[in-house]
Amino acid sequence: MRVLRNFSLKDHNSFGIDVRADKFISIENLDNLKSILRKSYASELFILGGGSNMLLTGDIHKMVLHIAIKGKKVVSETDNHVILEAAAGENWHEFVLWTLKQNYGGLENLSLIPGNVGTAPIQNIGAYGVELKDSFVSCIALNIQTLEEKEFSLEDCNFSYRNSIFKNQLKGQYIITSVKFRLTKNHHQLNINYGSIRAELAEKGINSPEIKDISNAVIAIRQSKLPDPKKIGNSGSFFKNPVIAKDQFEELKRKFPEIPSYEVSEEEIKVPAGWLIDTAGYKGYRLGDAGVHKNQALVLVNYGEATGAEILNLSKTIQKAIKDKFGIDLEAEVNII
Ligand code: EPU
């Protein structure tokens, strides 16, 4: 294991922010991880996965552990299902493509989401009507203090919209080392209710789609709306879609009759933050190298040399504008560090 000093994290965060880590170690197996943890205090460590859901606003004066443990295998199978285990350092999209190649169904709607397998459960990644929790069986995580390995079941993880126990009660306490999924081998449950997926399939003339067709449709939609982090730095949706009380929504609807919405419960409505930001006039806005994407106002971008502080300032400007115009508090989805 090589300890790299004063190491630039520019290539390790999808926003492409050029900050430095005092020390950086790439961890390729569990034994290495345990031996580092044995020698260090939790407060000296910073755990890094794919770096796709964070905004770095300054240098990291800690030892960055880059979790790069690889591997995927079939754990068990029946005629209709397979249980797969993938190591935390596997790239999420490459893993999804691999499952599709074996004709395993369940993850196709989650194609092209940036990041790694091990960080996917932390925020219960989701897109186009599917969330990670829908095919999640369990994950194995290492307690940073005690080095004890624990398997967390679906119930243990407390998943909800872009949220889990790892973002709350257990924040900073565990490192996820592998994740198990239950996928279908046949009779795949297709999720094509999302309007843009149906439109994309119709445009291609596909009437009875297979899981690969859905993945291709999702890839096409994402590529048309969302900037490729390899070309323009970004972390996907910067904010969560806010959930507001029905009364507040009814009042807003009177002022903005075209406001889109999804019912969450009898009392609560979710409204798309992208629409709010777009309607407040910020879509395509740019200040220096920090900006709001031109095709999806929910995505903040780094056109090249923006600092984390500049992106953070832009996010605050937007939060204020949304509060002033709609009376809604936008909460960041991205972890601000
Ligand atoms: N909208 C606008 N203007 C915009 C963007 C969106 O008016 O600039 C409107 C759209 O027309 C649509 C609504 O807002 O009526 C929702 O937009 P979209 O379908 O693009 O989805 P979203 O709610 O903005 C969420 C996820 C995305 C995920 C998509 C598809 C969150 C925070 N974001 O976005 O996730 O890909 O749904 O399922 O829940 C991510 O987490 O990084 C991410 C990209």
Side-chain angles (χ1 to χ4, degrees):
M1 272 182 298
R2 236 162 34 106
V3 181
L4 303 166
R5 283 164 205 278
N6 193 25
F7 182 82
S8 169
L9 295 174
K10 191 171 169 54
D11 295 335
H12 286 275
N13 70 101
S14 61
F15 252 122
I17 305 288
D18 193 7
V19 294
R20 282 174 184 269
D22 285 1
K23 294 177 188 167
F24 179 96
I25 304 183
S26 209
I27 305 281
E28 284 165 16
N29 62 59
L30 207 54
D31 288 341
N32 286 353
L33 179 57
K34 285 182 182 165
S35 97
I36 299 266
L37 292 182
R38 227 170 267 129
K39 287 185 276 189
S40 329
Y41 290 107
S43 60
E44 298 171 337
L45 301 174
F46 180 90
I47 313 302
L48 178 70
S52 62
N53 201 40
M54 56 171 63
L55 178 66
L56 297 167
T57 58
D59 290 338
I60 309 277
H61 298 297
K62 293 186 176 188
M63 176 146 67
V64 172
L65 299 187
H66 175 231
I67 307 300
I69 307 171
K70 304 273 191 222
K72 46 190 181 289
K73 63 177 186 219
V74 172
V75 177
S76 64
E77 57 188 312
T78 60
D79 287 349
N80 297 327
H81 290 96
V82 61
I83 307 276
L84 295 178
E85 180 169 13
E90 289 286 336
N91 172 271
W92 175 262
H93 180 58
E94 283 167 23
F95 172 63
V96 172
L97 291 182
W98 179 81
T99 64
L100 293 168
K101 219 169 171 177
Q102 329 294 317
N103 195 36
Y104 297 149
L107 301 181
E108 54 281 358
N109 294 50
L110 304 179
S111 297
L112 212 62
I113 295 187
N116 286 354
V117 166
T119 39
I122 298 176
Q123 52 148 346
N124 181 27
I125 59 169
Y128 308 105
V130 173
E131 290 182 329
L132 171 114
K133 72 172 171 56
D134 301 330
S135 49
F136 178 95
V137 174
S138 65
C139 64
I140 296 177
L142 200 59
N143 184 308
I144 295 178
Q145 301 277 358
T146 64
L147 299 191
E148 177 206 0
E149 267 181 81
K150 182 173 155 124
E151 185 155 4
F152 289 83
S153 70
L154 179 68
E155 292 72 34
D156 292 338
C157 292
N158 242 337
F159 289 125
S160 59
Y161 170 61
R162 293 297 193 277
N163 214 345
S164 77
I165 194 162
F166 301 107
K167 265 182 119 170
N168 294 288
Q169 295 96 309
L170 300 185
K171 192 172 178 170
Q173 294 182 36
Y174 280 89
I175 300 174
I176 295 174
T177 55
S178 71
V179 184
K180 282 185 198 147
F181 300 90
R182 182 171 184 264
L183 303 181
T184 49
K185 288 166 71 178
N186 41 53
H187 308 303
H188 302 305
Q189 299 282 317
L190 304 185
N191 277 285
I192 51 171
N193 288 337
Y194 207 87
S196 49
I197 294 191
R198 254 187 275 129
E200 185 68 31
L201 291 170
E203 197 183 308
K204 292 221 176 79
I206 299 171
N207 297 319
S208 39
E210 309 207 351
I211 48 178
K212 186 73 192 155
D213 298 319
I214 294 180
S215 168
N216 287 338
V218 167
I219 290 171
I221 298 164
R222 289 190 77 98
Q223 283 176 337
S224 71
K225 278 196 184 173
L226 300 167
D228 176 356
K230 288 193 196 97
K231 295 182 189 137
I232 303 176
N234 75 89
S235 260
S237 303
F238 193 91
F239 301 102
K240 286 187 188 179
N241 285 331
V243 174
I244 58 174
K246 212 164 203 169
D247 294 351
Q248 189 184 1
F249 176 73
E250 297 302 343
E251 211 180 300
L252 273 175
K253 181 121 183 136
R254 275 194 288 278
K255 264 171 108 180
F256 306 96
E258 68 294 355
I259 185 169
S261 62
Y262 324 94
E263 198 170 282
V264 177
S265 67
E266 275 184 17
E267 301 91 45
E268 289 179 318
I269 304 278
K270 191 190 270 183
V271 293
W275 184 89
L276 298 172
I277 299 168
D278 191 349
T279 305
Y282 277 93
K283 192 176 196 165
Y285 176 86
R286 177 169 177 172
L287 187 64
D289 269 355
V292 180
H293 189 53
K294 63 180 190 333
N295 298 338
Q296 164 54 291
L298 192 47
V299 179
L300 302 191
V301 294
N302 171 11
Y303 284 105
E305 302 296 322
T307 63
E310 285 166 340
I311 305 266
L312 184 61
N313 276 339
L314 173 59
S315 79
K316 287 184 177 158
T317 304
I318 290 170
Q319 279 168 324
K320 183 167 184 314
I322 299 306
K323 182 79 178 170
D324 291 348
K325 192 171 174 78
F326 303 102
I328 292 179
D329 291 303
L330 281 189
E331 191 190 327
E333 198 228 291
V334 165
N335 296 305
I336 294 162
I337 290 153

